[in-house]
Amino acid sequence: MSAFKAYDIRGIYNKDFNKQDVYRMGFYLPQLLNVEKVIVGRDVRVSSPEIFEALVQGITDAGADVYNLGLSTTPMVYYFTAKHKFSASVQITASHNPKEHNGLKVSRENALPVGFDTGLGELQKRVESGDKIVPVAIKGKIIEYNVIDEYIAFQKTYLKDLSNLNIAIDCSNGMGALLAKDVFGAAPHYIYDTLDGTFPNHEPNPLEEENVEDLKHLVLKEKCDIGVIFDGDADRVMFVDEKGRFIRPDLTIAVLASYFITEKGQKGNVLQDIRTSKSVSEYITSLGATMHMWRVGRAYAAIKLREIDGIYGGELAGHYYFRDFYYSDSGMLAAILVLDIVSDLKREGKTLSELIDQINTYANSGEINFKINQKEQAMEALRTYFCEQEKATAFFDFDGYRIEFNDWWFNVRPSNTEPYLRFIAEAKSETLLKEKIKIAEDIIHKFD
């Protein structure tokens, strides 16, 4: 079944998976995770109610109880899984994907992610086995679990006085709209702040800059200090500075240092993914913390942050993980902390763009995607060529390769879910960056 991915279950509903598949997922999940109760939330997509009904039927037919969170952000599910000591949870969502998509994000105790290697692979085998399902004699119950007020109160414990800020917020018609006004009040300039699973204004993926254009225009029109945009399930957040410039999400890892390292004095471990700008590690290291690099995706990052007892961490995709949030990611908490930081900056007569320009000292290509079949051969050709031309100063071989040289570096990695080879590079100058990208493109295109 093509819906089972490295990090979650996701695809086009009624094409890659259907309600019969979801029923079987629900039935086998309690046995797989050895649990008697499962907390379940869902996003606002049109297909989510039907998926919820099939999932719950499967779980209860297996004899386990369902605690129904109702409409929820994905981080809400993580929070209550860990806070209220559930051993299993499911969020029904396709995150930032288009409206036709949906899926399931599965977690176990302490909100630890269940990925393909840690349970989803076995679940796929059981779902696809074709074995006849016989419901148990005593079925599980559905328990309504209305705890959103507790979650909002927790988020607001991090909120400072933002009355000096002029803020623009784009909820992408996704789950950020469930919480934003309760957290930030009526003062910000909101767009697309109604829950609408057809996403009528733009796709709920702020990593594609075309989806951020309306927010940029709003920031400039209203002379805002910052723009905030959430993805579909609000586990990711991204920002626009007061000049209307999109802030590359890995740079926000460095911005968050103003809270954790400078203000709170927590000079411990910070996590980045393998695509993160060298600007970030150099900036955070200069403040006295220690950077750790690891693989892309929550299934890896949340576990690694716990393993190193990291203060916080982040990814190029706009996920930010926090030790105080059970080592999980929260778009809303990240937004609160960044707004707190920008508020403090403004009181000092500084702007967000000035902080970003201070952090960002490298020319960056952004992630470039090549649609090729011979991904491994192309990666090996890149490694061989560049390592023969100059001496590498660092080499990382998880998630493809990240190879660093004196004045530039590159990462090349195969997509887990699509026929793409993803390439990103940084250099000390635009001229050098363009030179290296051209060489890399010529090598990769030999494997089209």
Side-chain angles (χ1 to χ4, degrees):
M1 188 185 303
S2 59
F4 281 84
K5 311 296 185 187
Y7 317 136
D8 56 19
I9 301 162
R10 194 184 307 183
I12 298 174
Y13 187 57
N14 284 327
K15 178 183 176 184
D16 297 318
F17 70 109
N18 57 36
K19 66 181 181 181
Q20 287 78 24
D21 300 320
V22 175
Y23 172 81
R24 293 178 69 87
M25 293 174 198
F27 185 84
Y28 289 118
L29 195 62
Q31 183 184 38
L32 180 70
L33 297 179
N34 192 26
V35 298
E36 296 179 351
K37 59 181 183 178
V38 183
I39 186 169
V40 178
R42 65 185 185 275
D43 73 9
V44 73
R45 289 168 189 268
V46 174
S47 58
S48 290
E50 180 173 289
I51 293 173
F52 173 81
E53 184 177 337
L55 179 71
V56 167
Q57 186 68 52
I59 293 171
T60 54
D61 277 0
D65 294 337
V66 170
Y67 285 69
N68 177 22
L69 268 182
L71 286 174
S72 58
T73 69
T74 295
M76 280 177 62
V77 174
Y78 299 155
Y79 176 84
F80 287 112
T81 304
K83 171 78 173 181
H84 292 181
K85 301 190 185 310
F86 284 85
S87 294
S89 65
V90 180
Q91 168 72 342
I92 298 166
T93 183
S95 186
H96 59 280
N97 288 101
K99 62 184 179 181
E100 298 85 4
H101 293 241
N102 216 323
L104 297 89
K105 293 183 178 181
V106 181
S107 301
R108 52 192 174 90
E109 71 280 353
N110 296 316
L112 287 166
V114 177
F116 195 85
D117 297 334
T118 54
L120 293 187
E122 177 60 29
L123 181 62
Q124 180 180 10
K125 289 179 185 176
R126 299 187 189 189
V127 169
E128 294 178 345
S129 68
D131 293 345
K132 183 179 179 181
I133 286 179
V134 180
V136 299
I138 303 176
K139 295 185 179 182
K141 303 182 296 296
I142 301 172
I143 299 158
E144 298 304 316
Y145 205 53
N146 185 12
V147 285
I148 190 170
D149 290 344
E150 177 188 339
Y151 186 71
I152 291 169
F154 166 78
Q155 298 281 328
K156 291 176 77 169
T157 61
Y158 290 89
L159 193 65
K160 295 182 179 179
D161 177 10
L162 304 179
S163 59
N164 67 326
L165 286 186
N166 190 11
I167 303 166
I169 299 178
D170 182 350
C171 295
S172 301
N173 294 113
M175 299 314 301
L178 184 71
L179 304 173
K181 290 183 180 178
D182 285 317
V183 173
F184 299 117
H189 305 278
Y190 289 97
I191 54 173
Y192 314 141
D193 55 344
T194 56
L195 291 165
D196 188 335
T198 67
F199 307 114
N201 296 292
H202 61 71
E203 287 188 358
N205 182 6
L207 199 57
E208 299 290 340
E209 281 203 55
E210 64 191 50
N211 299 323
V212 192
E213 290 304 314
D214 290 350
L215 178 64
K216 292 179 181 178
H217 294 149
L218 181 62
V219 166
L220 294 174
K221 176 187 173 187
E222 300 294 342
K223 298 181 172 56
C224 294
D225 300 297
I226 184 172
V228 181
I229 182 168
F230 297 100
D231 76 336
D233 63 337
D235 64 350
R236 298 194 299 160
V237 66
M238 296 171 207
F239 304 94
V240 170
D241 71 17
E242 81 284 354
K243 294 180 178 180
R245 301 184 307 181
F246 178 73
I247 297 171
R248 208 175 63 243
D250 56 335
L251 299 175
T252 301
I253 304 171
V255 172
L256 288 165
S258 295
Y259 174 81
F260 289 104
I261 303 171
T262 305
E263 181 180 334
K264 297 298 182 182
Q266 299 178 17
K267 296 183 178 180
N269 295 321
V270 179
L271 188 68
Q272 66 174 62
D273 78 26
I274 198 168
R275 306 164 298 179
T276 300
S277 171
K278 207 166 183 180
S279 301
V280 173
S281 58
E282 290 178 352
Y283 180 81
I284 288 178
T285 300
S286 74
L287 297 177
T290 302
M291 291 301 301
H292 291 258
M293 188 184 301
W294 194 231
R295 301 179 65 177
V296 174
R298 180 177 184 268
Y300 307 109
I303 292 172
K304 176 60 78 170
L305 189 68
R306 180 181 292 271
E307 180 184 311
I308 65 173
D309 193 26
I311 311 161
Y312 75 101
E315 296 187 58
L316 181 64
H319 292 275
Y320 305 102
Y321 304 84
F322 306 100
R323 179 166 61 194
D324 293 341
F325 194 73
Y326 304 100
Y327 301 93
S328 291
D329 45 328
S330 169
M332 189 63 67
L333 181 53
I336 290 169
L337 295 176
V338 170
L339 289 172
D340 288 345
I341 290 163
V342 175
S343 177
D344 290 343
L345 285 172
K346 190 172 184 179
R347 290 188 177 93
E348 298 167 6
K350 300 174 184 176
T351 64
L352 177 56
S353 66
E354 288 172 341
L355 177 58
I356 293 297
D357 290 342
Q358 177 189 346
I359 293 165
N360 192 22
T361 57
Y362 284 80
N364 188 287
S365 68
E367 200 162 61
I368 304 169
N369 292 311
F370 297 90
K371 193 168 186 178
I372 63 172
N373 292 317
Q374 299 179 70
K375 292 188 254 187
E376 298 298 329
Q377 295 91 328
M379 288 169 53
E380 188 61 25
L382 286 172
R383 184 192 68 80
T384 300
Y385 175 84
F386 286 119
C387 288
E388 285 179 351
Q389 294 298 309
E390 52 191 307
K391 185 178 180 180
T393 58
F395 180 84
F396 304 92
D397 64 350
F398 48 85
D399 264 2
Y401 301 126
R402 174 168 170 147
I403 308 178
E404 298 183 0
F405 305 94
N406 280 329
D407 48 9
W408 78 287
W409 65 270
F410 76 91
N411 167 237
V412 60
R413 55 188 289 270
S415 169
N416 281 306
T417 57
E418 298 171 289
Y420 291 118
L421 189 67
R422 307 196 191 280
F423 177 87
I424 189 169
E426 270 195 335
K428 276 294 188 180
S429 71
E430 283 285 352
T431 301
L432 180 61
L433 179 64
K434 289 177 182 177
E435 173 192 323
K436 300 301 183 183
I437 291 173
K438 177 64 169 64
I439 295 170
E441 287 177 336
D442 289 344
I443 293 171
I444 292 170
H445 282 312
K446 293 177 183 177
F447 298 91
D448 284 348

